[in-house]
């Protein structure tokens, strides 16, 4: 079903003409800008991600860091087989700079449909240019995707749902695009207990998310060195619990193999990532499981998945019935 875009509003078939995707009667028209079809407002609530992923476009790619951190996360979370997904219709929602897009394209021979609501699609496009014949990348929202319902064998959405205005509506959209019997795999920020939001991130976000992106980036950059030193010090004296009050990302979630300078770059990027997004709504794993069931799916896994670096992510896998 490669290149079969439909209008995200009316569901009408679209054809490519010059620099547009146009409906047959010409009433709907979506521009192709810098080789990427755009099915949404170019500027929207995900602007901070566009800034972040274009500034740090290659920072988290496995191919940049010579590690297989994203590959491991992808296959441990999905349990998919490269040979099987090479011959299926797969959709990625919220690809950012394309760390998982790259994993899919590198480890399979299949075609991937991928969307992101932000201008991060430009970073993804640059990062995966060598696979361009197998990637159908567009800018679109999870709520208005340019695909027919029930059209994908498998859908994955990593690190995205907590950043959308409604976790529940977003899940509904993913399920809608999956065929009956198809699979959906998501990972997201979990609520682990009352203390989850008792963290510098949630205390400061009401202010930081309103700051100009350049200013926020500058502030993080200016303060990152002392924050890393203090964070590591607290961990080394068994006071890891106090690190939640330092306004920096949880550094122990990073791959252990990063060099000092890579670690610093990841820290700047992920600290920006935690303070800048418009939405940050973590969810209880059990609640997500119940939502899938309510929406007509069978949940095959709901829990934490540990990777070799010892960090764990909240993952739910489901089948559309
Ligand atoms: C934390 S990033 C994760 C990117 C990538 N999946 C990764 O793990 O590196 C979250 C992404 O979700 C995208 N996003 C947020 N709301 C969205 C929506 N309504 N539709 C599609 N993508 C959305 C953002 O633009 C951003 O690139």
């Amino acid at each position: 079903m490669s290149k079969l875009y439909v209008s995200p509003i009316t569901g009408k078939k679209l054809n490519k003409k010059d620099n547009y995707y146009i409906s047959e009667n010409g009433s709907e028209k979506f521009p192709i800008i810098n080789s990427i079809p755009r099915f949404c407002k170019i500027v929207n609530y995900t602007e901070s991600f566009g800034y972040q992923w274009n500034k740090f476009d290659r920072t988290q790619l496995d191919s940049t860091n010579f590690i297989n951190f994203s590959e491991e996360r992808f296959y441990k979370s999905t349990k998919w087989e490269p040979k099987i997904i090479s011959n299926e219709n797969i959709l990625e929602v919220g690809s950012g700079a394309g760390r998982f897009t790259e994993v899919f394209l590198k480890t399979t021979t299949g075609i991937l449909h991928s969307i992101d609501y932000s201008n991060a699609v430009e970073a993804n496009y640059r990062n995966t240019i060598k696979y361009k014949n197998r990637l159908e990348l567009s800018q679109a929202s999870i709520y208005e995707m340019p695909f027919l319902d029930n059209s994908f064998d498998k859908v994955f959405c990593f690190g995205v749902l907590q950043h959308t205005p409604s976790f529940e509506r977003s899940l509904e959209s993913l399920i809608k695009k999956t065929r009956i019997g198809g699979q959906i795999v998501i990972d997201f920020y979990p609520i682990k207990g009352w203390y989850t939001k008792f963290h510098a991130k949630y205390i400061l976000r009401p202010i930081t998310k309103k700051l100009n992106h350049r200013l926020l980036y500058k502030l993080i950059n200016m303060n990152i060195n002392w924050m890393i030193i203090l964070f590591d010090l607290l961990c080394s004296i068994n006071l890891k619990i106090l690190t939640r009050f330092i306004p920096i990302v949880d550094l122990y979630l990073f791959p252990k193999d990063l060099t000092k300078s890579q670690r610093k770059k990841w820290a700047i990027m992920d600290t920006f990532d935690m303070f800048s997004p418009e939405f940050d709504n973590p969810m209880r794993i059990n609640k997500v499981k119940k939502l899938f069931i309510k929406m007509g799916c069978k949940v095959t896994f709901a829990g934490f998945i540990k990777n070799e670096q010892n960090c764990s992510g909240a993952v739910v896998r489901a089948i559309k019935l």
Side-chain angles (χ1 to χ4, degrees):
M1 64 160 264
S2 148
K3 277 199 183 126
L4 246 193
Y5 286 126
V6 299
S7 158
I9 300 141
T10 59
K12 281 186 190 149
K13 193 177 156 224
L14 300 173
N15 295 307
K16 192 173 172 195
K17 195 166 174 233
D18 303 324
N19 273 334
Y20 289 93
Y21 272 95
I22 307 182
S23 60
E24 261 151 26
N25 66 3
S27 62
E28 291 175 280
K29 209 171 164 187
F30 302 91
I32 302 169
I33 302 170
N34 297 336
S35 309
I36 306 164
R38 317 285 175 144
F39 297 104
C40 59
K41 280 191 194 145
I42 306 284
V43 179
N44 54 62
Y45 74 80
T46 57
E47 236 192 313
S48 69
F49 285 111
Y51 177 86
Q52 168 185 324
W53 291 125
N54 279 291
K55 197 164 190 63
F56 294 91
D57 52 356
R58 299 194 57 82
T59 303
Q60 286 191 330
L61 297 186
D62 281 1
S63 58
T64 300
N65 297 301
F66 303 107
I67 53 177
N68 61 357
F69 189 57
S70 304
E71 184 176 329
E72 193 197 329
R73 180 166 145 200
F74 179 81
Y75 283 107
K76 276 201 166 163
S77 302
T78 59
K79 291 230 160 190
W80 293 341
E81 288 287 333
K83 263 197 183 156
I84 293 175
I85 56 177
S86 290
N87 295 305
E88 291 185 319
N89 287 324
I90 312 290
L91 171 64
E92 173 184 32
V93 176
S95 46
R99 60 193 290 201
F100 299 109
T101 316
E102 180 188 71
V103 168
F104 179 92
L105 295 169
K106 195 187 98 194
T107 57
T108 74
T109 54
I111 292 173
L112 179 66
H113 289 76
S114 180
I115 64 147
D116 195 284
Y117 198 22
S118 74
N119 204 31
V121 285
E122 303 217 345
N124 191 343
Y125 184 84
R126 287 196 296 279
N127 287 334
T128 53
I129 191 100
K130 71 174 176 184
Y131 304 104
K132 85 175 191 315
N133 295 336
R134 293 195 289 120
L135 178 62
E136 302 294 345
L137 177 67
S138 62
Q139 186 179 359
S141 168
I142 193 169
Y143 302 118
E144 289 183 336
M145 292 194 261
F147 311 112
L148 288 170
D149 292 352
N150 300 304
S151 51
F152 289 96
D153 298 302
K154 293 186 168 76
V155 175
F156 67 97
C157 181
F158 290 167
V160 176
L161 296 177
Q162 66 273 356
H163 295 305
T164 63
S166 162
F167 204 107
E168 185 164 348
R169 268 205 319 125
S170 301
L171 264 195
E172 223 166 39
S173 293
L174 297 180
I175 296 168
K176 222 163 139 190
K177 298 298 164 196
T178 311
R179 69 161 170 85
I180 291 173
Q183 290 179 27
I184 304 118
V185 182
I186 59 166
D187 76 10
F188 53 95
Y189 294 167
I191 295 183
K192 294 183 178 165
W194 62 268
Y195 52 88
T196 296
K197 291 204 166 181
F198 197 46
H199 190 290
K201 166 173 160 175
Y202 292 105
I203 298 166
L204 296 174
R205 269 186 47 78
I207 302 165
T208 57
K209 72 176 194 176
K210 291 203 175 83
L211 291 180
N212 171 286
H213 305 323
R214 279 170 206 275
L215 175 64
L216 178 62
Y217 170 71
K218 214 170 156 185
L219 286 172
I220 294 169
N221 222 354
M222 274 164 50
N223 288 286
I224 203 74
N225 286 332
W226 72 259
M227 293 196 292
I228 292 178
I229 291 169
L230 181 58
F231 192 102
D232 289 343
L233 177 75
L234 290 174
C235 288
S236 71
I237 54 173
N238 282 334
L239 287 174
K240 185 172 152 187
I241 192 164
L242 295 182
T243 57
R244 63 194 307 107
F245 300 112
I246 312 173
I248 186 172
V249 67
D250 292 335
L251 296 172
Y252 44 76
L253 298 177
F254 288 177
K256 303 279 178 288
D257 316 330
L258 296 181
T259 63
K260 204 173 160 195
S261 76
Q262 283 171 333
R263 189 169 179 252
K264 179 172 167 183
K265 206 164 178 191
W266 279 53
I268 296 171
M269 200 209 85
D270 271 346
T271 302
F272 184 88
D273 183 281
M274 78 182 206
F275 282 126
S276 60
E278 180 67 27
F279 301 103
D280 188 317
N281 306 309
M283 285 285 268
R284 283 187 188 277
I285 295 183
N286 230 350
K287 179 153 184 209
V288 177
K289 183 177 168 182
K290 282 185 185 149
L291 284 175
F292 266 115
I293 294 169
K294 188 177 111 187
M295 293 175 196
C297 294
K298 177 180 161 197
V299 172
T300 53
F301 179 84
F304 288 96
I305 292 200
K306 255 197 177 163
N307 65 27
E308 272 162 25
Q309 311 281 344
N310 244 356
C311 30
S312 45
V315 173
V316 177
R317 296 185 206 121
I319 295 175
K320 178 168 171 178
L321 299 176

